Amino acid sequence: MVSIRQGRVEDLFAIQHANLIDLPENYQMKYYLYHALSWPQLLYIAEDSNKKVVGYVLAKMEEEEEVRHGHITSLAVLRSHRKLGLATKLMNATHAAMEYVFGAEYCSLHVRVSNRAAYSLYSGKLTYEVVERETGYYADKEDAFYMKKMFELGVKKKAEREEAKRQRKLGNVDDQGKPLSLGQRVERQRHQQSKEGQQHAKLQKKLQEREKAQQEKMALEDGPTTTAQASPSPPSDDKAKTNQADGPDAAAPPAAAAAAPVDDDFLEDGDLDGGEGGAAKGSKKKKKGKGKGK
């Protein structure tokens, strides 16, 4: 007959002996003593009718992390007493102590990837789930499965945290999870809106400053752009004097100048033809008049 009981300091040598026989991971005595003195409620052994230790479970609490939980350091059962459900009983005993004595939300452990029997026990009867695979976890560089089992207390607390987070987001509770009155909710909502408005204004200011800096940078890279128009060069002194002497009529085009009078005495009928026929007739009349006068 095999019984499960809480371990004591005087059982540590028998526990170490069982570890050396069964497992490749071995520890010094001070490591067992540290666990037994720090968390005596989590140390359980299986002993037969002859008071011989045939199995044990060594566990600890991880209290420094955000969520309090337990961790299985070592579990072993002698080959002569396997297939009796001793490992399951030892694990259930330490699970109960973690949850009800220390308020643990879950329990974690590492198991070798090659240890299929232990993996089947943890993932089957004990309802552990694999969280991740850690490369080279053991001393011989073999990988390990990091597994976790949630307790009822942990599930309840997790749901409470999620609900409190949702209520804080809605503004119904304060940071400590205490419910707020209607006036406090309104004031909190106004404060939140004001805070969001200030953040939005700061963001807009930063964007404007960044845009202005980019524009200044582009202007410096492009350089000053001046569009110089060609101005007419001033006239020289000789041209200016000539223009003043000629007067305003000198600047008129040749087509606009008045035709000079023609002396009829030096014109003959053969000198004018074509388009100038009207002028030729007038000149002939003048010749006739002169002849009569003579």
Side-chain angles (χ1 to χ4, degrees):
M1 180 180 178
V2 179
S3 61
I4 307 296
R5 68 170 176 85
Q6 196 169 355
R8 297 185 291 266
V9 175
E10 53 265 28
D11 299 321
L12 294 181
F13 287 101
I15 292 173
Q16 187 182 36
H17 178 69
N19 172 264
L20 291 170
I21 294 174
D22 261 10
L23 299 177
E25 291 81 35
N26 310 123
Y27 313 103
Q28 296 181 0
M29 179 53 64
K30 63 181 181 180
Y31 192 68
Y32 295 99
L33 186 61
Y34 167 69
H35 279 70
L37 296 178
S38 301
W39 307 282
Q41 301 90 340
L42 304 181
L43 177 62
Y44 283 88
I45 65 169
E47 62 179 8
D48 60 7
S49 57
N50 298 322
K51 304 298 182 181
K52 178 184 177 181
V53 175
V54 296
Y56 74 91
V57 59
L58 191 69
K60 62 180 180 178
M61 290 298 301
E62 300 287 357
E63 300 174 342
E64 296 181 357
E65 298 185 12
E66 183 179 357
V67 178
R68 179 179 294 185
H69 67 278
H71 185 79
I72 303 298
T73 303
S74 180
L75 172 68
V77 176
L78 297 181
R79 292 183 181 274
S80 58
H81 289 76
R82 292 181 181 177
K83 304 296 183 180
L84 299 175
L86 297 180
T88 303
K89 293 177 181 179
L90 289 168
M91 291 289 286
N92 288 335
T94 192
H95 286 164
M98 288 178 183
E99 183 176 6
Y100 299 112
V101 176
F102 293 98
E105 298 188 19
Y106 66 89
C107 180
S108 62
L109 57 84
H110 291 88
V111 61
R112 287 178 177 269
V113 175
S114 61
N115 194 346
R116 304 306 302 175
Y119 176 79
S120 299
L121 170 66
Y122 297 141
S123 60
K125 291 182 179 180
L126 299 175
T127 65
Y128 276 79
E129 295 181 355
V130 176
V131 178
E132 62 178 333
R133 177 170 178 163
E134 298 186 11
T135 306
Y137 176 80
Y138 291 99
D140 57 358
K141 304 303 180 182
E142 184 177 351
D143 297 351
F145 287 128
Y146 176 69
M147 306 183 74
K148 183 188 294 187
K149 173 186 173 65
M150 292 295 298
F151 298 143
E152 292 183 2
L153 180 63
V155 174
K156 182 180 178 181
K157 287 187 176 181
K158 184 178 179 180
E160 291 176 353
R161 284 195 298 269
E162 291 178 353
E163 179 63 20
K165 184 178 180 181
R166 189 179 71 87
Q167 292 295 331
R168 281 197 299 271
K169 189 175 182 180
L170 294 174
N172 297 331
V173 296
D174 58 8
D175 296 336
Q176 287 73 31
K178 297 180 180 180
L180 299 174
S181 63
L182 180 60
Q184 290 175 332
R185 291 182 202 173
V186 173
E187 184 65 26
R188 189 184 184 94
Q189 188 175 5
R190 289 178 179 174
H191 177 72
Q192 184 68 21
Q193 292 176 352
S194 176
K195 187 176 180 180
E196 291 176 357
Q198 292 176 0
Q199 292 177 352
H200 181 71
K202 289 182 180 179
L203 180 61
Q204 290 292 334
K205 185 177 180 181
K206 287 183 179 180
L207 292 175
Q208 292 176 358
E209 292 177 353
R210 185 180 300 176
E211 185 177 357
K212 184 178 180 181
Q214 290 178 353
Q215 291 177 354
E216 293 178 352
K217 184 178 179 180
M218 292 175 62
L220 291 174
E221 290 177 354
D222 295 342
T225 56
T226 56
T227 56
Q229 297 180 354
S231 56
S233 57
S236 59
D237 294 339
D238 297 337
K239 290 184 177 181
K241 291 178 180 179
T242 305
N243 292 337
Q244 291 176 1
D246 294 341
D249 294 336
V262 181
D263 192 355
D264 294 339
D265 296 336
F266 297 96
L267 289 179
E268 297 181 355
D269 295 340
D271 292 335
L272 295 176
D273 58 355
E276 300 294 334
K281 292 179 180 179
S283 60
K284 289 180 179 179
K285 291 179 180 179
K286 288 182 180 181
K287 287 183 178 183
K288 292 180 179 178
K290 289 181 180 180
K292 291 179 179 178
K294 289 182 179 177

